[in-house]
Amino acid sequence: MFFQLAWRNIWRNPKRTLILLTAIVIGVWSMIFLGALMRGISDQMVRNGIANLTGHVQIHLRGYRNDPVVENSILQPGKLEEVLAGALPKEAHWTERVRVYAVASNARHSIGVTLVGIDSAREAQVSFIGSAVTQGDYLQPGKGNGILIGQSLAEKFKTELGKKLVLMALDSKGDNASRAFRISGIFRAELEAIEKQFVFVNLDTARQMLKLKGGISEISILLPEKSATEAVVQSLRKQLPVGDSLEVASWLDLLPFVTAVMELYDGFIFIWFLIIFIAMGFGIVNTILMAVFERVREFGLLKALGMKPVWIVRQVLTESFLLLLVGQVLGCIFGLVSVALLARNGIDLSAFAEGLEYAGMSRMIFPVVLVKDVVMANLVVFILGVLVSLYPAVKAARFTPVEALART
Amino acid sequence: MNIVECRGLKKTYRQGRVDVHALDGVDLDVVRGDFMALAGPSGSGKTTLLNLIGGLDHASAGEVVLDGEKLNLLSQAQLAELRLNRIGFVFQAYNLIPVLTAQENVEFILQLQNLPARERRERAMAILDDVGLEGLYGRRPAELSGGQQQRVAVARAIVSEPAIVLADEPTANLDSHTGQGLLELMLEMNEKKEVTFIFSTHDKMVMDYAKRLVILRDGRIAGERGKTE
C-alpha cells in the first residue's frame, strides 16, 4: 500500500507532477543525447585515426616513432610475416609500408609531405586509401611511377591527373634521392589535413627510391574488433623478437591526442551530468517540499495513527522514487529513440568543417550510445534525486502530530 | 483495572510572551471498558488532555500511564508503536487519507501492523459492514457524506482492536441524527468488544450517552458524574 499511496499522492496535483516529470525527462534525455553525441565525435575521431594509416596495432623498429627516418626501418620483415600469419585472428588484415618525410614539388610549388610506399592490395584492406580515390585509378602493382595525391594538395599545386610530381627524400645511405612520378589518382579523405599530408606510391618503387631493398618502416594491423587490440598487442609482444629491436604499439599509444580527447570527453560528460542534475535537483526539492507542506496535516495524521518517523521518510522517498522512475524511463526512451533516429543518417557538420578539422573531428557525426553512459546518467539522477528528497522527507517526519493536526 | 492513570498532569503553552496553562494538575483514572466523556467549555483542556493520554503531546509535568506504559519514558518511535497497536483515534475533522478508499483507509492501520493482505481485506470489510457502510468500500472520502466519513474513521479506530479509543469531538461536524447513530455504534463496540472510549465533547448528546462524565474547567477537573466502577 506504500507504493499505491505514493503513486496516488504524486497524482494529487497532476500539473505539478507533469512539470517535474518533464524536467526529469528533459534532463535524462539531454544526458543520454549529449553523451551519445560526444561519444559519436570521439568514436569518429578514433575511426578516422585508425583508418588514416594507424590501424589498431603497429610494429616498428624501436626508435622509429621518435625519429621516423629511413635509417630506422625494419630491414628483414620476412620473419615478422611468418609470426603475424600465426598470431593474428583470421579476420585481421595487415600490411607493410615505407613511410618517410619527403618534399613534393612541381614547376610552381614545393611542399613537405609524407611519402607512403604501400602494397596496394593489402593496404586497401587496412586503411582508407583503398576506397578514397575519386579521380583516376588506385595504384597498380606494375605501374612504378604512379602516385596518389590528395584533392587539397592537387588544388594547392594547381595540378591534375597525368601531371608530373617530383618527390625528394633522404635514402638509406643518407643521400638525397629524388624521383619523378605521374599523378595516377586523386583521393579525398575525411580530414583535409590528410589530403595535404600524404602521397602514396607503390611499396617497391619507394624501396627502390630509398635504397631500402626489402626494408619497411612499419607494419599496420587492422583487427576485426577494436576491443581485441590489447590482447593482440600482448600476444605479439610475446611472440615477436621485440626485446631488442622491435616495438609493438596499439592505437592508444599511436594516437595520444585522440586518447586525451576521449578522456576529456569522459570528464565533460560527467560535468554535464552534474550540471543537469543540479538544475533538476532544485526542481525536485522544490516540488517535494511543496507537496510535503501541502500535506502537513496528513503527515500529522499518519504519525497519530502510528506511523514511525522513519516510515514517513520512506513514504516521501517512495513518492520521489516513483517520480524519478517514471521520468527516467521516459527520458531513456526519448534519449535512445532520438539517438537511433539521428544515428541512421548522422549529423552533417560540413558548415563547420574547417573548424572541426583542427580538432581532428569528422564532418559527419554519428551519435553512439554507451551502456555505461546510460547507466551513469540514470544513477546520477536516481541517487542524487533520492538524496535531495531526504530533506523534505525528514522535514515531514519531524512534524509533531499535535502541531500538524492543528493546521488547517 | 485502570487503563489510564494521570497524575499531576500539567501542560503549559507559550503564546507570545504569555504562558497558557492548558492543564493545571489533573489526576484521572479510567478503568478498562469505560465509555467516558470529557466535557467543559472551550479552552478548558479537553483536547489537550486527550492528546496527552494518546501520546500525541508531552506533558509539562506529571505523568500518564496508558495500559501499563509510562508515556514520558517512551521515545517517538515507541510512542508511535503504542499508538499503532493500542490506541484508536477519531478526530473531529474525520481526517481520512483522501487518496485512499474507505476500505483502504481502514486497512491502512492493519498494513502498518504487517497483517497479511487477505486478513486485512476481510477485517476491513467486516468492520465497515459493522459501521453500516456495506457496499461503500471503494468510495474515496470525497465521495462520502460527513457521517459516512466519521463512520470510516471509527472503523479505522477500532479495526485493530485497540485497548482504548480516543475521540475528539466526534459528533461536532455531524447533524444530531447522524451523531446519534455514531454514538450508538460506538456504544455497541464498547459493550460488544469491551473497547474503552474517551470522548472530548461539547455535545450534550454525547454527555448523555457517556457512562461517566468528567467536567474540566481552566485545566482542572471541576466535577464528575457516574463512575463506572
Side-chain angles (χ1 to χ4, degrees), chain A residues 27-43 260-278 280 339 366-381 384:
Chain A
V28 173
W29 170 82
S30 72
M31 286 174 170
I32 291 175
F33 186 75
L34 197 88
L37 212 58
M38 293 179 103
R39 293 296 177 201
I41 291 169
S42 67
D43 191 62
V261 168
M262 286 169 69
E263 283 169 8
L264 192 67
Y265 279 11
D266 274 344
F268 276 159
I269 288 171
F270 187 70
I271 290 168
W272 173 249
F273 283 7
L274 276 184
I275 290 170
I276 288 289
F277 180 77
I278 288 167
M280 201 193 303
V339 167
F366 293 88
V368 173
V369 172
L370 294 188
V371 174
K372 73 168 185 176
D373 288 343
V374 177
V375 170
M376 191 164 90
N378 281 290
L379 276 181
V380 166
V381 173
L384 296 183

Side-chain angles (χ1 to χ4, degrees), chain A residues 1-2 4-5 8-9 12 297-298 301-309 311 400-402 405, chain B residues 51 56-57 80-81 83-84 89 91 93 95 97-100 104 107-109 111-112 140 156:
Chain A
M1 199 178 285
F2 276 107
Q4 200 176 23
L5 183 58
R8 289 183 194 172
N9 275 333
R12 284 164 86 159
R297 194 179 164 85
E298 205 170 300
L301 169 71
L302 295 176
K303 286 185 90 172
L305 292 179
M307 265 183 106
K308 294 175 188 171
W311 294 353
T400 64
V402 169
L405 284 166
Chain B
N51 287 338
L56 297 176
D57 204 355
E81 189 92 34
R83 289 195 293 266
L84 175 62
F89 287 96
F91 301 98
N95 282 342
I97 299 168
V99 293
L100 298 182
E104 288 165 346
E107 271 191 53
F108 188 72
I109 298 293
Q111 162 100 45
L112 294 180
R140 289 200 183 181
R156 180 180 65 188

Side-chain angles (χ1 to χ4, degrees), chain B residues 5-206:
Chain B
E5 291 172 6
C6 302
R7 294 286 174 267
L9 213 50
K10 291 187 179 181
K11 180 69 187 178
T12 306
Y13 296 108
R14 187 98 186 146
Q15 214 166 50
R17 291 181 180 178
V18 184
D19 284 338
V20 177
H21 302 286
L23 287 181
D24 193 13
V26 170
D27 295 305
L28 178 71
D29 292 336
V30 181
V31 295
R32 205 174 286 275
D34 209 342
F35 197 75
M36 187 189 106
L38 296 169
S42 293
S44 59
K46 306 182 293 291
T47 300
T48 303
L49 179 56
L50 219 55
N51 287 338
L52 292 180
I53 292 170
L56 297 176
D57 204 355
H58 287 290
S60 307
E63 67 172 20
V64 178
V65 180
L66 187 134
D67 208 12
E69 302 279 358
K70 287 187 177 179
L71 301 194
N72 58 337
L73 300 181
L74 300 182
S75 66
Q76 282 297 321
Q78 287 169 321
L79 280 172
E81 189 92 34
L82 183 91
R83 289 195 293 266
L84 175 62
N85 295 311
R86 292 196 241 175
I87 308 174
F89 287 96
V90 179
F91 301 98
Q92 179 180 345
Y94 324 137
N95 282 342
L96 300 176
I97 299 168
V99 293
L100 298 182
T101 64
Q103 184 185 328
E104 288 165 346
N105 262 288
V106 177
E107 271 191 53
F108 188 72
I109 298 293
L110 305 176
Q111 162 100 45
L112 294 180
Q113 291 178 329
N114 274 329
L115 262 64
R118 191 172 169 184
E119 188 183 343
R120 286 202 310 261
R121 195 170 54 247
E122 286 171 1
R123 281 176 66 174
M125 287 163 78
I127 206 85
L128 283 169
D129 289 349
D130 286 349
V131 298
L133 293 175
E134 309 90 331
L136 300 179
Y137 312 137
R139 297 251 182 115
R140 289 200 183 181
E143 299 164 337
L144 297 169
S145 68
Q148 287 170 330
Q149 287 186 55
Q150 198 62 303
R151 281 167 183 264
V152 175
V154 171
R156 180 180 65 188
I158 59 179
V159 70
S160 59
E161 296 177 1
I164 186 167
V165 171
L166 305 175
D168 186 13
E169 313 242 13
T171 58
N173 292 332
L174 304 178
D175 61 68
S176 60
H177 179 71
T178 312
Q180 186 176 9
L182 195 76
L183 284 167
E184 289 287 350
L185 173 74
M186 290 194 275
L187 187 60
E188 192 184 331
M189 297 290 166
N190 169 257
E191 284 169 356
K192 269 189 186 171
K193 305 192 182 214
E194 294 188 349
V195 181
T196 309
F197 280 82
I198 304 180
F199 306 96
S200 76
T201 189
H202 283 107
D203 188 343
K204 185 166 181 313
M205 185 166 61
V206 178

Side-chain angles (χ1 to χ4, degrees), chain A residues 49-363:
Chain A
I50 288 170
N52 291 337
L53 306 184
T54 305
H56 291 115
V57 182
Q58 284 190 2
I59 302 169
H60 306 98
L61 194 74
R62 193 169 294 282
Y64 174 85
R65 283 174 60 203
N66 288 332
D67 188 13
V69 292
V70 76
E71 287 88 341
N72 284 333
S73 299
I74 302 167
L75 296 176
Q76 290 179 315
K79 290 177 187 171
L80 299 181
E81 292 169 12
E82 286 171 28
V83 175
L84 289 176
L88 296 180
K90 278 184 183 173
E91 301 83 2
H93 299 287
W94 58 272
T95 189
E96 296 170 333
R97 293 184 194 127
V98 166
R99 191 197 307 216
V100 290
Y101 292 130
V103 174
S105 55
N106 65 3
R108 293 178 184 173
H109 301 277
S110 71
I111 192 171
V113 294
T114 300
L115 161 63
V116 188
I118 58 172
D119 175 332
S120 55
R122 283 181 174 274
E123 186 69 41
Q125 295 177 310
V126 172
S127 74
F128 77 102
I129 193 63
S131 56
V133 176
T134 53
Q135 294 177 54
D137 300 314
Y138 185 54
L139 290 174
Q140 302 296 320
K143 294 182 180 173
N145 68 339
I147 186 168
L148 301 179
I149 66 168
Q151 177 74 37
S152 299
L153 188 66
E155 285 166 9
K156 191 175 176 70
F157 272 41
K158 296 189 172 65
T159 189
E160 59 191 23
L161 284 177
K163 298 276 183 173
K164 211 164 71 172
L165 191 73
V166 176
L167 291 185
M168 204 161 59
L170 288 176
D171 66 17
S172 61
K173 313 276 186 205
D175 297 328
N176 275 327
S178 67
R179 181 163 177 161
F181 292 88
R182 190 74 60 189
I183 299 170
S184 61
I186 293 175
F187 66 86
R188 295 297 306 258
E190 188 66 37
L191 305 178
E192 198 182 334
I194 300 288
E195 294 177 7
K196 285 181 178 164
Q197 180 65 34
F198 293 99
V199 297
F200 296 88
V201 301
N202 273 315
L203 180 60
D204 290 339
T205 310
R207 279 169 169 163
Q208 263 179 11
M209 177 183 160
L210 300 169
K211 298 187 180 69
L212 257 177
K213 297 183 182 167
I216 55 167
S217 305
E218 67 191 22
I219 290 175
S220 178
I221 301 164
L222 189 71
L223 299 171
E225 292 291 337
K226 192 171 70 180
S227 55
T229 305
E230 194 51 36
V232 168
V233 167
Q234 294 305 329
S235 160
L236 286 174
R237 279 180 184 157
K238 278 183 193 158
Q239 296 185 48
L240 290 171
V242 291
D244 47 354
S245 60
L246 297 177
E247 66 175 349
V248 180
S250 73
W251 63 271
L252 289 163
D253 305 318
L254 297 164
L255 301 169
F257 174 71
V258 173
T259 315
V261 168
M262 286 169 69
E263 283 169 8
L264 192 67
Y265 279 11
D266 274 344
F268 276 159
I269 288 171
F270 187 70
I271 290 168
W272 173 249
F273 283 7
L274 276 184
I275 290 170
I276 288 289
F277 180 77
I278 288 167
M280 201 193 303
F282 280 108
I284 294 172
V285 172
N286 187 41
T287 305
I288 304 287
L289 259 183
M290 279 170 70
V292 163
F293 278 112
E294 273 176 12
R295 286 155 49 205
V296 171
R297 194 179 164 85
E298 205 170 300
F299 288 117
L301 169 71
L302 295 176
K303 286 185 90 172
L305 292 179
M307 265 183 106
K308 294 175 188 171
V310 68
W311 294 353
I312 304 266
V313 171
R314 189 173 73 180
Q315 182 66 41
V316 176
L317 289 184
T318 306
E319 290 173 25
S320 302
F321 166 79
L322 289 174
L323 273 169
L324 290 166
L325 186 73
V326 173
Q328 286 183 255
V329 168
L330 290 176
C332 282
I333 290 172
F334 287 134
L336 295 175
V337 167
S338 55
V339 167
L341 289 174
L342 279 174
R344 274 193 201 163
N345 301 316
I347 303 166
D348 190 354
L349 298 177
S350 308
F352 315 103
E354 207 162 322
L356 297 173
E357 286 268 322
Y358 288 106
M361 287 159 59
S362 298
R363 294 162 197 176

